[in-house]
Amino acid sequence: DGGHLSSVTLDNAMGIQLLVEHLIALGHQKLGFCHDTRNHQGAVIRFKTFLDLVRNHQLPLREEWYAPTDNTTAGGYQSAKRILGANEWPTAIIAFNDRSAFGCIQACVDHGIAVPEDISVTGFDNIRMAACYNPPLTTVSANYQELADIAASIASGQAHRAFGLAPAEGLLLERIEYDGLAWDPACG
């Protein structure tokens, strides 16, 4: 049968939904987003889901609260500078990933804005530094071991079509909120 490929991906929509709903539960009504400029599936899904959720919750949509990033700390810094250049700021910024969130936080600090007291910033990926960063970063995380196990299972199944395995669905993510008391061995 040639041509059938399966893939295992993160559930990007669920991750953004977790972040948006968490921020709304905290009372945030003005949300910004540092979005990936590359046109890959994960980036498109994250930004589209964010925009859909903002509309569904009838929150203000302000174009100046959405800025592109190249997913680096420097890119996040530039995105946040652009967002902070607006006449009115969002009360929270969701960054495309944790590295760009670190840049967002630094831009806020450089503008004299306290995080999380004046503005909240969230990430996506839960890299090791998320718990160690000051302030610790609220982010979403996937079980990457489970991701690898499913991918290996699918690869094995493709070699043995008799198993009838279908392409895997996206993995659910969980929101990780560090309260400053969390400890991660990577932090030392």
Side-chain angles (χ1 to χ4, degrees):
D1 138 11
H4 176 75
L5 295 175
S6 297
S7 65
V8 180
T9 62
L10 298 177
D11 189 336
N12 286 288
M14 175 62 75
I16 294 299
Q17 182 178 349
L18 287 169
L19 290 171
V20 168
E21 290 179 358
H22 171 69
L23 292 169
I24 290 171
L26 292 175
H28 293 282
Q29 298 292 305
K30 301 173 185 176
L31 305 180
F33 194 85
C34 293
H35 61 88
D36 188 349
T37 57
R38 298 171 296 168
N39 196 24
H40 62 83
Q41 183 180 15
V44 170
I45 289 171
R46 288 185 197 183
F47 192 45
K48 180 186 179 318
T49 300
F50 171 79
L51 293 173
D52 289 346
L53 288 166
V54 168
R55 285 184 194 103
N56 290 344
H57 286 282
Q58 299 178 351
L59 302 177
L61 274 172
R62 305 254 324 249
E63 190 173 324
E64 60 268 25
W65 292 347
Y66 318 128
T69 180
D70 64 3
N71 303 323
T72 64
T73 301
Y77 186 92
Q78 292 304 316
S79 289
K81 274 182 52 177
R82 182 172 166 184
I83 291 169
L84 296 173
N87 289 334
E88 182 182 1
W89 300 332
T91 59
I93 299 172
I94 296 174
F96 182 81
N97 62 15
D98 291 351
R99 285 182 182 86
S100 54
F102 300 150
C104 288
I105 291 170
Q106 188 59 52
C108 290
V109 170
D110 288 354
H111 279 79
I113 302 165
V115 176
E117 294 81 5
D118 298 331
I119 193 168
S120 293
V121 176
T122 68
F124 196 114
D125 293 331
N126 193 29
I127 63 174
R128 287 187 167 267
M129 281 296 299
C132 307
Y133 203 77
N134 187 15
L137 185 64
T138 296
T139 186
V140 291
S141 178
N143 182 333
Y144 289 101
Q145 183 60 52
E146 180 184 3
L147 185 74
D149 291 347
I150 290 171
S153 174
I154 289 172
S156 174
Q158 285 178 338
H160 302 87
R161 291 263 178 218
F163 292 125
L165 293 176
E169 295 180 11
L171 296 178
L172 291 180
L173 300 166
E174 62 178 327
R175 177 180 50 82
I176 306 293
E177 182 176 4
Y178 296 107
D179 61 3
L181 302 175
W183 178 78
D184 185 309
C187 299

